[in-house]
């Protein structure tokens, strides 16, 4: 038997409750039965039509018929019922329309259980929603592998009492070269293909700007800031005029280190770096110091660690040597101290060591990444692997 709006004689709250319950039960039951679009229209008109719809009828038969004292209560109840019926009808509309919308937008696939959610949202918001808009999904971010390695390296040195310093990426010739004992026009400058800022010719050479080719200028800045003793690491971005390929990038990252105190010796350098490499790559790693040259250190060394692919036996990765070259280091050249003498760096009284490493290179070796460009392409499929 289809629902018909009863006339009310009793306007007590209990009687109104019961009448409201019956009405809602009826609209819900009828909503369930609605299947096609025509069906829906009949259903909507039966309940909502201005002329003779059920909602109009309760207005007439309940509200208008209510005796004076009950009007207020009945009015509130009728309004509440109207809202609920409207929501139930709207929910059915979305439900019936779902297949049509999906057909009109072949790209979207909305599983049945999600429709329920869309409809609920629409109800909660009291509005219709454009279900063709993409939903809100915020994937978790993750530290970039280069930054992660950088933080790991910094962490190892912080644990040994080092502080962290930074310097500018646009640097002067003076800090990038001259104060690091690369004299003007010295061929050692050619080892670092430099990107210069244009239009600087009028300035004295030492004041000309360039993109720093290494983090070593932070050594000078740190010593000007802080008198000895000093222990500092300086992470940061550096630039070289290199053509990009699998192992080169014009922008990359380094971590620099500097320790200056009385009686710092080469064995302190060896012990510190050996400990750092074991912390970063595992305690079975061995380090090897091989004579090298840098203008700002004397003596200088390149540090290699045991090849982690073959454990030192010799393989393609280490070019059959059993060793992988990882960083440069050395004892701070007395000529460098001359540039910071005014802040207490007297090479007769103090000594120090310095080191610098490429963060991308370490990361590539650590994770077996064979192309440096992967770090900069922002391909989420690559980055996700480090999440
Ligand atoms: N600055 C050097 C470079 O970019 C790396 C380096 C070598 C840094 C030796 C140092 C060092 O502090 O002592 O190639």
């Amino acid at each position: 038997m289809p629902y018909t709006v009863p006339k009310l004689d009793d306007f007590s709250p209990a009687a109104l409750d019961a009448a409201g319950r019956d009405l809602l039960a009826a609209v819900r039951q009828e909503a369930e039965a609605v299947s096609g679009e025509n069906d829906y229209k009949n259903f909507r008109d039966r309940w909502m039509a201005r002329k003779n719809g059920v909602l109009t009828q309760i207005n007439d038969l309940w509200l208008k018929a209510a005796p004076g004292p009950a009007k207020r209560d009945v009015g509130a109840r009728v309004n509440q019922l109207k809202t609920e019926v409207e929501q139930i009808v709207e929910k059915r509309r979305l439900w019936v329309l779902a297949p049509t919308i999906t057909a009109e937008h072949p790209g979207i696939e909305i599983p049945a259980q999600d429709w329920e959610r869309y409809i609920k949202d629409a109800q909660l918001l009291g509005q219709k929603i454009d279900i063709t808009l993409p939903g809100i999904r915020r994937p978790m971010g993750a530290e970039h592998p280069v930054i992660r390695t950088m933080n790991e390296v910094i962490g190892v040195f912080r644990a040994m009492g080092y502080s962290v310093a930074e310097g500018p990426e646009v640097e002067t010739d003076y800090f990038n070269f001259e104060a690091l004992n690369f004299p003007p026009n010295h061929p050692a400058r050619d080892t670092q293909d430099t990107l210069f800022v244009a239009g600087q010719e009028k300035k004295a050479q030492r004041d000309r700007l360039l993109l720093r080719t290494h983090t070593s200028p932070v050594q000078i800045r740190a010593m000007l800031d802080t008198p000895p003793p000093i222990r500092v690491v300086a992470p940061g971005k550096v630039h070289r005029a290199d053509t990009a390929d699998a192992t080169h990038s014009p922008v990359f990252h380094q971590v620099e280190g500097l320790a200056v105190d009385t009686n710092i010796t080469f064995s302190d350098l060896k012990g510190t770096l050996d400990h750092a490499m074991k912390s970063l790559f595992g305690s079975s790693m061995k380090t090897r110091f091989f004579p090298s040259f840098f203008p700002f250190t004397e003596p200088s060394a390149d540090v290699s660690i045991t090849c982690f692919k073959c454990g030192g036996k010799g393989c393609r990765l280490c070019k059959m040597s059993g060793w992988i070259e990882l960083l440069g280091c050395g004892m701070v050249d007395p000529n460098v101290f001359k540039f910071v003498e005014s802040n207490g760096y007297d090479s007769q009284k103090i000594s120090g060591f310095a080191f610098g490493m490429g963060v991308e290179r370490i990361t590539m070796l650590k994770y077996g990444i064979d192309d440096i460009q992967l770090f900069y392409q922002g391909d989420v499929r690559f980055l996700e692997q480090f999440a």
Side-chain angles (χ1 to χ4, degrees):
M1 258 268 285
Y3 176 79
T4 50
V5 182
K7 276 201 177 124
L8 296 182
D9 313 313
D10 182 356
F11 288 91
S12 70
L16 292 168
D17 276 349
R21 258 199 317 271
D22 287 350
L23 182 140
L24 288 177
V27 70
R28 288 202 180 101
Q29 200 187 355
E30 286 182 31
E32 282 286 295
V34 168
S35 56
E37 227 174 310
N38 283 336
D39 227 13
Y40 164 76
K41 280 185 181 146
N42 291 333
F43 164 67
R44 180 197 61 196
D45 294 345
R46 169 163 151 69
W47 287 85
M48 312 237 305
R50 287 261 165 81
K51 227 180 122 192
N52 238 9
V54 172
L55 293 183
T56 304
Q57 289 180 45
I58 60 173
N59 216 45
D60 295 342
L61 294 177
W62 295 2
L63 182 57
K64 284 185 184 157
K71 273 240 187 320
R72 225 184 124 83
D73 182 31
V74 178
R77 285 166 184 272
V78 165
N79 278 339
Q80 176 64 29
L81 288 170
K82 278 184 180 167
T83 311
E84 286 189 46
V85 168
E86 275 163 17
Q87 282 176 358
I88 290 163
V89 172
E90 172 62 7
K91 175 173 171 169
R92 208 58 194 173
R93 186 183 75 85
L94 289 169
W95 187 258
V96 168
L97 245 48
T100 320
I101 294 170
T102 317
E104 281 170 5
H105 301 274
I108 62 168
E109 269 176 47
I110 303 170
Q113 68 269 24
D114 284 354
W115 272 102
E116 202 91 79
R117 212 188 66 232
Y118 279 109
I119 290 157
K120 242 205 204 113
D121 286 350
Q123 274 183 302
L124 283 175
L125 295 169
Q127 65 189 31
K128 292 165 191 155
I129 50 159
D130 179 1
I131 55 78
T132 64
L133 287 173
I136 301 165
R137 189 168 137 251
R138 295 181 196 282
M140 285 285 278
E143 219 171 22
H144 190 281
V146 168
I147 300 299
R148 177 200 281 221
T149 305
M150 201 141 115
N151 285 334
E152 272 172 26
V153 174
I154 291 166
V156 167
F157 285 95
R158 281 180 70 108
M160 289 193 272
Y162 283 65
S163 51
V164 182
E166 286 183 305
E169 287 166 28
V170 180
E171 191 49 285
T172 59
D173 186 281
Y174 179 78
F175 283 111
N176 196 79
F177 290 126
E178 202 177 326
L180 287 164
N181 199 32
F182 292 79
N185 304 315
H186 194 278
R189 291 180 172 220
D190 297 347
T191 60
Q192 306 195 348
D193 288 320
T194 310
L195 292 155
F196 295 93
V197 175
Q200 306 270 302
E201 297 77 8
K202 286 209 190 79
K203 289 186 184 168
Q205 181 167 14
R206 59 186 350 239
D207 295 329
R208 290 182 198 163
L209 297 173
L210 47 80
L211 301 186
R212 69 176 176 192
T213 55
H214 50 178
T215 42
S216 303
V218 187
Q219 289 186 37
I220 307 298
R221 291 180 174 277
M223 287 191 280
L224 289 176
D225 272 358
T226 313
I230 189 173
R231 281 166 181 74
V232 68
V233 280
K237 198 178 283 172
V238 302
H239 296 74
R240 304 253 175 119
D242 280 331
T243 307
D245 64 23
T247 52
H248 294 84
S249 163
V251 187
F252 60 103
H253 299 77
Q254 292 187 333
V255 177
E256 189 81 14
L258 173 72
V260 182
D261 206 334
T262 48
N263 295 320
I264 297 251
T265 67
F266 200 88
S267 11
D268 295 317
L269 170 59
K270 287 188 76 173
T272 301
L273 289 181
D274 188 69
H275 167 77
M277 293 305 122
K278 287 182 162 64
S279 304
L280 288 171
F281 293 104
S283 54
S284 60
M285 283 294 156
K286 287 188 177 130
T287 48
R288 185 181 73 161
F289 290 69
F290 204 81
S292 182
F293 174 79
F294 299 100
F296 40 95
T297 43
E298 181 61 32
S300 304
D302 283 329
V303 181
S304 300
I305 63 167
T306 318
C307 176
F308 24 78
K309 192 148 192 191
C310 62
K313 283 198 209 76
C315 67
R316 247 177 56 191
L317 182 68
C318 60
K319 301 197 186 92
M320 300 313 290
S321 70
W323 297 97
I324 293 203
E325 210 177 291
L326 219 52
L327 60 104
C329 66
M331 301 304 291
V332 179
D333 193 304
N335 285 340
V336 171
F337 285 136
K338 281 217 187 83
F339 289 93
V340 291
E341 218 168 14
S342 62
N343 205 20
Y345 290 87
D346 177 352
S347 61
Q348 297 298 314
K349 295 184 183 149
I350 45 106
S351 56
F353 63 75
F355 56 87
M357 55 190 104
V359 184
E360 279 81 352
R361 183 168 156 76
I362 294 178
T363 312
M364 289 170 78
L365 291 166
K366 223 177 141 157
Y367 297 106
I369 297 162
D370 59 6
D371 186 348
I372 195 171
Q373 301 304 325
L374 288 165
F375 290 131
Y376 315 114
Q377 288 161 345
D379 187 331
V380 174
R381 292 168 302 178
F382 170 72
L383 297 172
E384 262 171 2
Q385 299 175 67
F386 302 89

